[in-house]
Amino acid sequence: ARQMAAGNDGAGATPGVGTMFAPKVFTCMLEQARRLPYGDVGACGPAYHFPNLPHSPRFTRVWVQGVVVWTDGRGDDGDGRRRCVDRFALDDGTGPPLRIATPPSCHCAGTRDPFTRRTPGVGDYVVCVGFLAPNEEGGRVVATSSDAGGAGEKNDGRRRRRRVPRFTLVAERVHDLSREGDAQREAMWNVEVPEAFKTLEAAHAAG
């Protein structure tokens, strides 16, 4: 994941304390994200923050990692090459799977062939940088009997009640880490995210 750099999200006048380059977050944290006033706009649109954190960064993009648990199902094109998918769901183990959209402008690649567009398949471990797009019914509890467009849930015909995620992540970069052979990638990610926010808190404490 450290091989993929994320650019400045443009939110806030001056990069520094309170502003981050696409902060590394757990997917569950996005349910707490809230839009900042309309005047605070970054390169990708409205800026967000975490009101539950004392010194939250301002951001338009975020960086997430996890296992792909669902795709829109187009699969291979018949000759063994994977076709691009428009949507997939990513699970980092902290909450419901996060819906991710991959528009044509998204750079999707793997380490072995960084120049060929290759969107991920189920079971791949990926890192993704993208911006937040509010879901129309985000935060509402609805009844469903299917995976409801990428929730990553088993469709067994039973009706369930679930909360619609507040956001879909519109990907700008997706990088497949599945073949890099790092058996500790999940454990490292579980350390990297809190350490990044601890560093931010330390910067505020230092004044």
Side-chain angles (χ1 to χ4, degrees):
R2 289 176 293 278
Q3 295 177 357
M4 186 176 74
N8 187 352
D9 66 13
T14 305
V17 174
T19 303
M20 297 180 71
F21 299 163
K24 296 178 178 181
V25 300
F26 294 130
T27 59
C28 65
M29 297 172 63
L30 298 180
E31 292 302 299
Q32 303 299 323
R34 297 294 183 271
R35 182 173 172 168
L36 286 164
Y38 286 93
D40 199 347
V41 177
C44 288
Y48 292 84
H49 73 137
F50 297 116
N52 57 314
L53 299 180
H55 304 293
S56 171
R58 295 168 292 170
F59 56 90
T60 56
R61 298 175 178 90
V62 293
W63 175 318
V64 296
Q65 287 183 205
V67 177
V68 176
V69 294
W70 176 90
T71 74
D72 63 8
R74 291 189 291 170
D76 292 344
D77 61 8
D79 61 1
R81 293 183 301 173
R82 181 174 297 163
R83 295 167 62 184
C84 295
V85 298
D86 295 325
R87 296 178 300 156
F88 66 93
L90 179 145
D91 187 359
D92 68 358
T94 66
L98 175 66
R99 302 175 186 180
I100 296 179
T102 55
S105 59
C106 175
H107 178 75
C108 301
T111 303
R112 293 187 178 182
D113 190 0
F115 303 107
T116 300
R117 179 175 168 84
R118 179 187 183 276
T119 45
V122 173
D124 289 346
Y125 186 86
V126 301
V127 52
C128 176
V129 172
F131 60 91
L132 301 179
N135 290 323
E136 184 175 348
E137 295 188 336
R140 293 185 58 188
V141 176
V142 298
T144 179
S145 59
S146 71
D147 70 355
E153 299 170 357
K154 182 179 179 180
N155 183 1
D156 57 9
R158 297 181 181 178
R159 295 190 64 79
R160 295 182 174 87
R161 296 182 65 82
R162 66 178 183 85
R163 187 176 300 276
V164 178
R166 290 187 179 275
F167 301 101
T168 291
L169 193 68
V170 180
E172 294 181 322
R173 297 179 65 87
V174 177
H175 193 84
D176 184 4
L177 303 180
S178 303
R179 301 180 182 181
E180 294 192 1
D182 185 359
Q184 301 300 317
R185 59 197 178 198
E186 288 96 339
M188 292 176 63
W189 180 245
N190 289 338
V191 172
E192 288 178 16
V193 174
E195 283 298 319
F197 283 89
K198 287 180 183 178
T199 299
L200 182 63
E201 288 295 319
H204 277 278

